[in-house]
């Protein structure tokens, strides 16, 4: 399955969420995951993978590093054999996670290959406005609205008025900052926490299965 | 770097035109190539990967392990195990 993190606005947390979701699928689901970083020479994922890793190869299945957290490929220019290479990677990996920069042409070129798009926005006017434009031109059945850095739940109502249903909410949480500072993805840094519960919810959108349940959910599932 | 080539020109070019820069590239190629393509590189007379692993990736121990392996699945097993064992090292880099 190919999952893309898209947004028309930079700095909304696409890379952070792509990194943590990839690490979560690896650690708690035991899946083979590759994170493809399309941020041409501006790779946020290098924080977690070592600054000295070199970007090799013009094709997607060339220059892949097997990190403990996930496998990673740094893309330095648009791949020439994208369709062929995605076929090869799909045969090997359970999940291909794409971290895509806010480049409209790139997002539209990748859209047809992606099974699910997380459209990432933050609850602020520029993010909502620019992503509304993108949302209108993307294939609606592939898109899931993901609101990041939420501090006030009332903001969600405003976003739902514009986009319809919000699929996932990630609250502002200092654990994300701590994880980047320590250069360890959250799932490999902590075992419990609200941020991990929210990443679990994100993972469940892809896998259809929850790994973490609230006490109430556990009680209900015990009696069912 | 122990698990990738140090220079772009040290890539291994396979019979189907794929460029292998890292050990993971090699493992994915092994997993997805046909038996016929594998036989082009590994047969009774030669094993093209041994020298690349020894001199470009500088993995002497792995090169010795696969030197006499002629079976594709066996080679996949050895390389997979090697990468799994290396992950603890990669984490620190």
């Amino acid at each position: 399955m190919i999952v893309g993190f898209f947004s028309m606005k930079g700095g909304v947390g696409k890379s952070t969420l792509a990194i943590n979701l990839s690490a979560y699928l690896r650690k708690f689901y035991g899946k083979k995951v590759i994170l493809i970083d399309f941020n041409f020479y501006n790779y946020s994922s290098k924080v977690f993978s070592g600054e000295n890793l070199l970007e090799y190869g013009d094709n997607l299945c060339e220059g892949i590093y097997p990190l403990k957290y996930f496998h990673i490929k740094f893309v330095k220019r648009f791949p020439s054999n994208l369709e062929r290479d995605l076929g090869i990677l799909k045969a090997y990996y359970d999940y291909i996670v794409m971290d895509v920069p806010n480049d409209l042409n790139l997002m539209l070129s990748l859209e047809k290959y992606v099974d699910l798009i997380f459209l990432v926005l933050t609850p602020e006017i520029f993010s909502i406005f620019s992503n509304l434009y993108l949302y209108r031109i993307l294939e609606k059945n592939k898109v899931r609205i993901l609101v990041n850095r939420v501090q006030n739940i009332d903001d969600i109502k405003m976003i739902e008025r514009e986009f319809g249903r919000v699929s996932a909410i990630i609250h502002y949480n200092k654990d994300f900052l701590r994880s980047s500072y320590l250069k360890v993805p959250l799932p490999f840094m902590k075992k419990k926490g609200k941020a991990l519960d929210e990443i679990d919810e994100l993972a469940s959108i892809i896998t259809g299965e929850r790994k973490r349940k609230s006490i109430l959910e556990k009680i209900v599932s015990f009696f069912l | 770097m122990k698990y990738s080539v140090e220079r772009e020109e040290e890539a291994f070019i396979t019979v189907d035109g794929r460029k292998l820069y890292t050990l993971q590239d090699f493992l994915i190629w092994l997993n997805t190539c046909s038996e016929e393509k594998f036989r082009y590189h590994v047969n009774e007379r030669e094993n093209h990967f041994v020298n690349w692993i020894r001199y470009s990736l500088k993995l002497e121990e792995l090169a010795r392990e696969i030197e006499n392996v002629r079976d594709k699945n066996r080679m996949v097993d050895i390389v997979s195990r090697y990468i799994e064992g290396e992950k603890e090292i990669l984490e620190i880099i």
Side-chain angles (χ1 to χ4, degrees), chain B residues 39-49 69-70:
Chain B
R39 285 277 153 250
Y40 178 86
H41 292 294
V42 181
N43 49 54
E44 287 315 310
R45 285 173 288 113
E46 50 199 357
N47 184 338
H48 295 162
F49 296 114
V69 176
R70 295 291 179 267

Side-chain angles (χ1 to χ4, degrees), chain B residues 9-48:
Chain B
E9 54 271 28
E10 286 182 303
F12 185 101
I13 301 173
T14 62
V15 63
D16 53 357
R18 289 254 293 274
K19 286 184 179 174
L20 312 179
Y21 294 93
T22 69
L23 198 54
Q24 184 62 28
D25 294 351
F26 176 44
L27 183 58
I28 294 173
W29 185 82
L30 281 177
N31 267 286
T32 51
C33 76
S34 66
E35 189 64 32
E36 193 190 354
K37 284 172 186 167
F38 177 75
R39 285 277 153 250
Y40 178 86
H41 292 294
V42 181
N43 49 54
E44 287 315 310
R45 285 173 288 113
E46 50 199 357
N47 184 338
H48 295 162

Side-chain angles (χ1 to χ4, degrees), chain B residues 25-90:
Chain B
D25 294 351
F26 176 44
L27 183 58
I28 294 173
W29 185 82
L30 281 177
N31 267 286
T32 51
C33 76
S34 66
E35 189 64 32
E36 193 190 354
K37 284 172 186 167
F38 177 75
R39 285 277 153 250
Y40 178 86
H41 292 294
V42 181
N43 49 54
E44 287 315 310
R45 285 173 288 113
E46 50 199 357
N47 184 338
H48 295 162
F49 296 114
V50 174
N51 279 350
W52 178 66
I53 289 172
R54 178 169 287 136
Y55 298 112
S56 297
L57 295 183
K58 298 182 175 63
L59 302 169
E60 176 59 34
E61 191 192 330
L62 181 63
R64 261 188 277 119
E65 267 197 80
I66 67 154
E67 205 156 21
N68 298 314
V69 176
R70 295 291 179 267
D71 178 65
K72 190 170 161 242
N73 293 333
R74 175 95 185 99
M75 201 173 279
V76 167
D77 279 351
I78 293 171
V79 178
S80 305
R81 265 193 292 109
Y82 192 87
I83 290 177
E84 285 301 312
E86 285 289 290
K87 275 186 185 163
E88 296 305 315
I89 298 166
L90 299 186

Side-chain angles (χ1 to χ4, degrees), chain A residues 40-51:
Chain A
F40 310 124
Y41 295 102
N42 188 19
Y43 312 103
S44 314
S45 51
K46 278 211 170 178
V47 171
F48 298 90
S49 54
E51 296 289 331

Side-chain angles (χ1 to χ4, degrees), chain A residues 117-135:
Chain A
I117 296 166
F118 281 118
L119 183 59
V120 187
L121 47 134
T122 49
E124 47 103 13
I125 193 69
F126 297 117
S127 170
I128 295 169
F129 189 73
S130 54
N131 277 305
L132 202 52
Y133 171 71
L134 179 62
Y135 181 62

Side-chain angles (χ1 to χ4, degrees), chain A:
Chain A
M1 186 184 200
I2 305 178
V3 180
F5 280 81
F6 287 19
S7 183
M8 272 303 277
K9 177 86 169 58
V12 292
K14 286 186 300 290
S15 302
T16 306
L17 294 173
I19 286 163
N20 283 299
L21 177 69
S22 303
Y24 194 88
L25 290 168
R26 173 80 195 112
K27 180 157 185 192
F28 294 103
Y29 288 81
K31 298 291 184 188
K32 278 186 186 170
V33 185
I34 181 166
L35 173 65
I36 303 180
D37 193 334
F38 277 92
N39 290 278
F40 310 124
Y41 295 102
N42 188 19
Y43 312 103
S44 314
S45 51
K46 278 211 170 178
V47 171
F48 298 90
S49 54
E51 296 289 331
N52 55 353
L53 296 187
L54 299 173
E55 307 93 27
Y56 284 130
D58 292 332
N59 294 310
L60 281 189
C61 40
E62 297 171 355
I64 295 172
Y65 292 99
L67 305 178
K68 182 186 177 186
Y69 314 130
F70 39 73
H71 291 187
I72 192 149
K73 162 71 188 163
F74 304 109
V75 177
K76 53 183 178 180
R77 62 180 72 94
F78 195 81
S80 39
N81 294 308
L82 188 62
E83 194 164 353
R84 181 205 71 175
D85 286 1
L86 282 174
I88 293 168
L89 294 179
K90 272 169 97 170
Y92 186 82
Y93 290 100
D94 299 309
Y95 292 103
I96 299 169
V97 178
M98 292 179 173
D99 177 15
V100 187
N102 52 330
D103 173 329
L104 184 61
N105 285 336
L106 181 61
M107 287 187 277
L108 295 180
S109 307
L110 293 173
E111 183 192 9
K112 64 176 170 181
Y113 302 108
V114 175
D115 300 304
L116 196 140
I117 296 166
F118 281 118
L119 183 59
V120 187
L121 47 134
T122 49
E124 47 103 13
I125 193 69
F126 297 117
S127 170
I128 295 169
F129 189 73
S130 54
N131 277 305
L132 202 52
Y133 171 71
L134 179 62
Y135 181 62
R136 284 183 186 137
I137 53 177
L138 290 174
E139 268 184 63
K140 299 286 170 296
N141 60 334
K142 285 186 178 180
V143 179
R144 303 290 180 275
I145 304 296
L146 198 175
V147 189
N148 193 22
R149 296 199 204 114
V150 174
Q151 298 199 59
N152 183 353
I153 206 72
D154 287 340
D155 294 337
I156 299 299
K157 285 178 197 155
M158 176 180 70
I159 292 167
E160 279 184 329
R161 265 202 306 275
E162 300 293 342
F163 291 87
R165 190 171 171 267
V166 167
S167 299
I169 297 168
I170 307 285
H171 285 87
Y172 175 81
N173 196 313
K174 281 185 181 163
D175 281 346
F176 287 113
L177 200 65
R178 206 169 297 135
S179 133
S180 344
Y181 181 71
L182 295 172
K183 300 180 180 178
V184 179
L186 208 47
F188 285 82
M189 189 185 94
K190 288 188 84 172
K191 285 184 178 162
K192 286 180 185 174
K194 193 160 191 279
L196 276 182
D197 291 346
E198 290 180 339
I199 296 170
D200 181 61
E201 215 168 306
L202 211 57
S204 74
I205 294 173
I206 302 165
T207 60
E209 181 196 350
R210 286 289 300 268
K211 289 283 176 193
R212 288 156 196 269
K213 288 179 179 169
S214 66
I215 295 169
L216 186 68
E217 283 172 318
K218 281 178 188 165
I219 294 168
V220 170
S221 61
F222 179 78
F223 285 107
L224 286 177

